[in-house]
Amino acid sequence: MPGTTKLNRFMGISAIIAAVLLTTADYLLEFHKEYGVSSSIVETAWLEMPPWRFTVSMYFCMFAIPFYLMGFWLVYKAVSKTNKTLGILIFILFSYGTVMGSPFIHGVMSINPFIYRFGMQNGLRHEALVGFIEGTLTKTILPVFLVHYLITWVIAPLLLFIHILGGKSVFKRWTALLNPLAFLLVGVVGLLVYPKLFVYLAPGSINKGNVTMFALATATMWNEEK
């Protein structure tokens, strides 16, 4: 087996595993069996959730997210077969947005529950903690969050969606839906239409989309020799 083929397979499998870990990280951070998916910045359910969940969630993100670059690289290689300029642009958008924002934002969100638990256990009022977390911490990271979200999970996947749907790529048209933006939209709409089911499916929607996107790129480049 040529070295390039082995490398493509290693990169693809690594990226898929990383995306599965990030999906798990989202569930650990957001999901509670009684309250469902997190619906606000500060959740009283944090008091009932074991602290190890937030620690593991943060570590999964910090240590797994770098492997996303391997998945984005395979997406670039597949797209560049028919449009190299677009492939480079998509790779830059995905990679820059992820490196710039994902670990930082997820890390802050994982620390917020510790701040809330500590404050409540030491006699601080819920309203005061909400004011600090939402009014100070959240406002501080909001610009980073918006730039990261727009670049990484809106613009980049939208460009990929249009490219595939146009029918001039190496992918089949239906696979245009295998991207994080499509999964995010399905999760959001699902929560509105059928919340009893999607309360279990919506957490980690973006990273579920990354799992399928990386799987698509890996399958496409599986036997690539150059």
Side-chain angles (χ1 to χ4, degrees), residues 97-114:
T98 299
V99 171
M100 179 272 293
S102 290
F104 171 67
I105 293 168
H106 195 94
V108 171
M109 292 174 64
S110 297
I111 291 173
N112 283 343
F114 288 103

Side-chain angles (χ1 to χ4, degrees), residues 56-71:
V56 172
S57 178
M58 180 170 56
Y59 287 164
F60 274 0
C61 179
M62 298 298 181
F63 289 107
I65 202 71
F67 291 95
Y68 271 35
L69 300 183
M70 296 183 179

Side-chain angles (χ1 to χ4, degrees), residues 54-170:
F54 312 123
T55 301
V56 172
S57 178
M58 180 170 56
Y59 287 164
F60 274 0
C61 179
M62 298 298 181
F63 289 107
I65 202 71
F67 291 95
Y68 271 35
L69 300 183
M70 296 183 179
F72 297 148
W73 181 253
L74 288 186
V75 172
Y76 153 73
K77 293 183 71 175
V79 172
S80 67
K81 286 179 172 294
T82 54
N83 192 328
K84 189 169 185 178
T85 301
L86 180 62
I88 293 174
L89 177 61
I90 288 175
F91 174 75
I92 291 174
L93 291 173
F94 269 130
S95 300
Y96 175 78
T98 299
V99 171
M100 179 272 293
S102 290
F104 171 67
I105 293 168
H106 195 94
V108 171
M109 292 174 64
S110 297
I111 291 173
N112 283 343
F114 288 103
I115 296 173
Y116 183 78
R117 288 171 61 92
F118 179 83
M120 291 296 289
Q121 291 169 359
N122 285 274
L124 295 180
R125 293 183 299 109
H126 168 79
E127 293 77 12
L129 290 165
V130 170
F132 173 64
I133 294 174
E134 294 187 2
T136 301
L137 294 183
T138 301
K139 287 184 178 179
T140 300
I141 69 168
L142 186 59
V144 177
F145 174 83
L146 292 176
V147 172
H148 157 72
Y149 216 83
L150 183 63
I151 290 176
T152 318
W153 309 131
V154 177
I155 297 177
L158 187 59
L159 289 174
L160 181 62
F161 176 83
I162 294 172
H163 172 65
I164 296 176
L165 203 62
K168 296 182 179 180
S169 72
V170 296

